[in-house]
Amino acid sequence: MQKTRKHLELLSPAKNADFGIEAINHGADAVYIGGPAFGARAKAPNTVQDIARLVQHAHKFHAEVFVALNTIFHDNELEGVRQLVHQLYDAGVDALIVQDMGLLELDLPPIQLHASTQTDIRTVQKAQFLDQVGFSQIVLARELDIATVKKIADATTANLEYFIHGALCVAFSGQCFISHAHTGRSANRGECSQECRLPYTLEDQKGRILGKDKHYLSMKDNDQSANLRALIAAGVSSFKIEGRYKDLPYVKNATAHYRQLLDEILEEMPEYAKSSAGNASYTFTPQPEKTFNRSSTDYFANGRQADIGAFDTPKFSGEELGKVRKVGKDFIDVATEVALHNGDGVCFFDVHKELVGLRVNTVQALDNYTQRLFPNEMPADIRNNTQLYRNRDHAFMRLLEKDSASRKIALDVVLYETRDGFALTLTDEQGFSATSQCTAEKQPANDAEKAEASLRENLAKLGNTDFSARDIGLELTQPWFLPASVVNHLRRDAVEELIAIRTLGYDRPPLRAAAEPPATYPQDSLSYLANVYNQKARDFYHKHGVKLIANAYESNEELDEVPVMITKHCLRFSHGLCPKEAKGVIGVQGTVTAEPMTLISGNDRYTLKFDCKPCEMHVMGKVRKHILQMAPPQPIAFFDKRPA
């Protein structure tokens, strides 16, 4: 099936093949996963064999598997990349998620390409360019508001993908170099050290401390639950959940939550369709706030918001319980109306403002408003009036640790007579159909009503297959008695035939041809911000009209202080010091200017510069000397099975 913007896709993360299989079972239309190398989550690698196993499961439901090949490649790695792409294609992978334009200049199989969010798609012009060079789907910057998404949709034809849930990188994706500058671990190479989650002290231009030991570059987590209809109206068709490092309960919970929301929309809007087959049912009620999140924000979807930062902690503090009433030798009394369970995880902020966690062995209800907690170990720092949170609901997690979903493809089942027996036709929700026949003696039923009920019951017994009966039709001249063995034989043969037909009927999405003559890139010169790390990428941009091309930051040629992080998040705005916001405020207008600030972490000091026209904050930094001595990446070989 050729997907269009009328086919809504729920796209879930897969740390490994087993996680991906569960994401499919819980309703994902597609999953994205890292391969053995070159993915932007280096700590989540997977073998080609495991990815092939995931592909086999996904394709049963005509769901898709995308492999994240979204790092930038050194020249030494290009041959390894080429070999790996051929192996992934042979494994049945549906598409690659790509950052490095050099990949488009390699000898590749006809595999579909998606432009990663790492390509920094935040302007109409950039989206138009990627739309014309061979990308079938483009992953928009998380910072885009819905109005800008609509403008991009109006100017392009590629499918648009938008992050709807999970962690938010504070920087524009592909525009963060602070990790490489300090540790040699590049975010563009899948090895981000997450310096954005560290505590910092913030100073103004005059050296006054505005805040101390706050996680000023840490964002709350993304939640677009309330904006799905607006995003669809704007042109988004792929809805992406972040989380290739997240645990399995998170993947199950988030996937089920958004599956239910999208299914509600599909019921209301028949002009849209699912992009895969089957419906999932669950043993739990999805509650995304109960698996890892740093509180939630819809970020910039509806314009700049005041409260998008997770400044207190980058960890999962969970739901608010209440305050401590009493601390005993081995117990803690908490005033709360939340029902707590044995095994729950509880946490609080200590006097050093650090999040401290503890596991509750047993819970005792003292009255309707007070519960006594007996932790496995009493914390040293807890006291009366301390605010408690629950970051592990043990009962809820137990549900997610078991088999928690079943996905079935709906069938219309029709049994009818033939000249010398009976035939059974199964037609699935996508229109694929299979028929089995048998020769059998036609014996009139002694009890017509009982015979029909038995027949319907046996026809519906689809057991451990991926199918369920939606409707059962009996096209018979009179009530017949059919032995269960005959019905079982017909049903098994028809199911086997339908599986084979569905397998043959699945078409991988096609590679999109690039426009001719080649599209012109919006700029004729590129700085280190374009992440050009190999000659093939340079060839690509030269072909598209770029004349001057600087090497990527990871080439270690930017020796002076430059922006090592560019972000829409603004610390002047979050402290009420935005010059734009001050305009028109009596007594304030003209007194607030975008003067630099300073972030301090240990001995490191980062100047914050503010570019108010595009509403951006630039974190200035310099590559450390020992990084300059690092050797370039070495070749990685993958066995190329293709004939010479």
Side-chain angles (χ1 to χ4, degrees):
M1 177 182 71
Q2 178 63 51
K3 285 190 300 187
T4 70
R5 290 180 184 170
K6 293 295 184 181
H7 295 96
L8 303 186
E9 171 184 275
L10 177 59
L11 177 56
S12 292
K15 183 177 184 179
N16 55 44
D18 291 331
F19 283 30
I21 288 170
E22 286 299 330
I24 296 294
N25 292 344
H26 284 71
D29 298 303
V31 296
Y32 63 104
I33 188 170
F38 310 122
R41 296 291 183 269
K43 293 180 181 178
N46 294 279
T47 66
V48 174
Q49 291 75 18
D50 260 0
I51 292 173
R53 178 165 62 90
L54 171 58
V55 166
Q56 186 176 22
H57 183 77
H59 285 181
K60 290 194 295 182
F61 300 96
H62 290 196
E64 295 180 347
V65 175
F66 309 150
V67 171
L69 213 67
N70 55 343
T71 59
I72 55 174
F73 316 126
H74 190 272
D75 286 284
N76 291 341
E77 297 170 317
L78 290 176
E79 175 57 20
V81 172
R82 185 194 67 80
Q83 292 174 6
L84 178 58
V85 171
H86 280 277
Q87 287 199 20
L88 292 170
Y89 182 76
D90 292 343
V93 168
D94 295 288
L96 303 177
I97 304 172
V98 176
Q99 176 185 185
D100 195 318
M101 295 299 124
L103 188 137
L104 278 68
E105 298 295 303
L106 299 180
D107 169 31
L108 298 182
I111 191 168
Q112 190 170 95
L113 302 178
H114 296 183
S116 169
T117 189
Q118 293 291 121
T119 59
D120 187 28
I121 308 167
R122 51 188 158 116
T123 66
V124 172
Q125 294 76 18
K126 183 71 170 286
Q128 284 179 312
F129 175 75
L130 293 170
D131 185 47
Q132 295 175 57
V133 298
F135 290 102
S136 299
Q137 190 151 300
I138 54 180
V139 190
L140 301 175
R142 293 168 173 88
E143 294 81 2
L144 289 186
D145 59 47
I146 294 172
T148 304
V149 172
K150 178 68 167 63
K151 291 177 183 177
I152 289 174
D154 290 343
T156 59
T157 58
N159 291 331
L160 303 184
E161 184 178 314
Y162 193 88
F163 279 92
I164 56 168
H165 193 83
L168 288 165
C169 293
V170 63
F172 290 112
S173 293
Q175 304 294 282
C176 187
F177 312 96
I178 192 169
S179 178
H180 178 80
H182 286 180
T183 67
R185 294 166 52 189
S186 166
N188 282 315
R189 302 270 298 158
E191 297 177 331
C192 179
S193 58
Q194 294 195 320
E195 302 213 3
C196 55
R197 302 294 183 184
L198 297 176
Y200 292 92
T201 294
L202 179 65
E203 286 185 356
D204 68 9
Q205 176 79 346
K206 297 180 180 178
R208 294 173 295 199
I209 294 177
L210 300 178
K212 193 170 184 179
D213 293 330
K214 291 282 189 180
H215 301 267
Y216 281 119
L217 299 177
S218 179
M219 298 292 95
K220 290 181 177 179
D221 282 3
N222 188 14
D223 185 346
Q224 300 294 337
S225 299
N227 294 324
L228 295 180
R229 287 170 177 79
L231 289 166
I232 292 168
V236 172
S237 59
S238 180
F239 301 88
K240 187 172 195 171
I241 299 169
E242 179 277 337
R244 283 198 290 128
Y245 278 165
K246 296 288 177 46
D247 60 17
L248 186 54
Y250 167 93
V251 174
K252 290 180 174 184
N253 192 23
T255 300
H257 171 67
Y258 286 99
R259 179 72 274 156
Q260 291 185 340
L261 293 181
L262 287 173
D263 284 349
E264 288 176 10
I265 293 171
L266 288 167
E267 283 287 325
E268 298 169 10
M269 305 169 74
E271 66 272 29
Y272 291 92
K274 281 178 65 171
S275 61
S276 66
N279 293 295
S281 58
Y282 311 105
T283 64
F284 67 101
T285 301
Q287 299 177 72
E289 71 278 2
K290 285 188 177 290
T291 46
F292 190 97
N293 71 77
R294 303 175 178 91
S295 189
S296 62
T297 174
D298 70 357
Y299 213 32
F300 293 93
N302 292 296
R304 187 177 288 280
Q305 309 294 323
D307 187 21
I308 62 174
F311 294 167
D312 290 332
T313 179
K315 299 177 182 178
F316 175 33
S317 58
E319 62 187 313
E320 190 173 293
L321 295 179
K323 293 189 176 180
V324 173
R325 281 187 169 175
K326 182 178 180 181
V327 178
K329 182 179 179 181
D330 61 350
F331 67 84
I332 302 164
D333 290 348
V334 56
T336 182
E337 296 181 5
V338 177
L340 295 166
H341 314 112
N342 298 344
D344 279 354
V346 173
C347 59
F348 64 95
F349 289 95
D350 66 12
V351 293
H352 305 292
K353 300 179 182 178
E354 292 294 325
L355 197 65
V356 177
L358 53 98
R359 179 63 63 87
V360 178
N361 284 340
T362 55
V363 179
Q364 178 184 344
L366 300 183
D367 55 47
N368 291 336
Y369 306 103
T370 309
Q371 296 178 65
R372 178 162 289 178
L373 314 182
F374 294 90
N376 58 348
E377 184 178 340
M378 284 293 291
D381 241 351
I382 198 161
R383 58 196 66 190
N384 286 351
N385 292 317
T386 298
Q387 178 67 52
L388 289 188
Y389 305 85
R390 177 168 66 178
N391 57 4
R392 177 185 167 84
D393 183 334
H394 184 64
F396 184 74
M397 296 300 285
R398 286 286 300 275
L399 291 174
L400 292 175
E401 287 164 0
K402 302 174 183 177
D403 288 339
S404 50
S406 176
R407 183 168 180 166
K408 300 288 184 179
I409 300 168
L411 296 182
D412 291 330
V413 180
V414 179
L415 179 73
Y416 56 95
E417 294 177 40
T418 61
R419 188 177 64 180
D420 55 358
F422 299 90
L424 180 67
T425 295
L426 306 179
T427 304
D428 71 21
E429 61 191 58
Q430 292 179 300
F432 291 97
S433 185
T435 299
S436 64
Q437 300 185 46
C438 72
T439 302
E441 182 182 354
K442 296 176 182 176
Q443 303 178 42
N446 293 327
D447 184 332
E449 187 175 328
K450 184 177 179 181
E452 180 176 335
S454 176
L455 197 52
R456 289 182 180 277
E457 182 182 351
N458 284 335
L459 288 171
K461 287 181 178 177
L462 292 159
N464 293 325
T465 70
D466 296 319
F467 304 102
S468 65
R470 176 172 58 188
D471 182 68
I472 296 176
L474 302 178
E475 298 180 359
L476 307 174
T477 57
Q478 69 176 77
W480 300 108
F481 168 72
L482 268 75
S485 59
V486 172
V487 177
N488 292 342
H489 174 72
L490 283 169
R491 189 186 61 244
R492 281 196 299 266
D493 285 356
V495 166
E496 288 180 9
E497 179 68 16
L498 182 59
I499 290 171
I501 289 170
R502 286 184 56 79
T503 300
L504 290 173
Y506 179 75
D507 293 321
R508 269 196 285 185
L511 173 64
R512 191 180 192 189
E516 289 293 343
T520 301
Y521 193 73
Q523 302 163 248
D524 63 3
S525 64
L526 298 175
S527 72
Y528 72 95
L529 297 172
N531 300 322
V532 177
Y533 201 39
N534 59 71
Q535 185 57 46
K536 289 292 186 182
R538 299 178 75 87
D539 293 344
F540 172 88
Y541 284 112
H542 281 312
K543 181 171 73 176
H544 292 282
V546 182
K547 297 180 175 62
L548 298 175
I549 303 174
N551 286 328
Y553 191 81
E554 288 76 5
S555 299
N556 295 330
E557 296 176 7
E558 298 291 335
L559 303 182
D560 296 327
E561 186 176 75
V562 296
V564 291
M565 179 187 289
I566 301 175
T567 171
K568 193 77 172 172
H569 165 53
C570 176
L571 284 169
R572 293 197 68 84
F573 180 87
S574 63
H575 284 77
L577 299 171
C578 171
K580 288 185 178 181
E581 294 295 307
K583 287 182 179 179
V585 179
I586 297 173
V588 176
Q589 186 174 1
T591 65
V592 177
T593 58
E595 296 174 340
M597 291 177 166
T598 304
L599 274 182
I600 305 166
S601 176
N603 294 323
D604 294 318
R605 298 177 65 88
Y606 309 100
T607 300
L608 305 180
K609 293 186 177 179
F610 301 91
D611 188 347
C612 291
K613 186 174 181 180
C615 252
E616 295 174 357
M617 182 174 77
H618 293 196
V619 181
M620 308 299 292
K622 192 174 180 180
V623 65
R624 289 177 174 166
K625 290 182 179 179
H626 74 277
I627 307 300
L628 302 175
Q629 311 305 317
M630 293 178 64
Q634 296 305 301
I636 301 176
F638 294 90
F639 178 65
D640 194 343
K641 296 182 289 185
R642 297 182 307 135

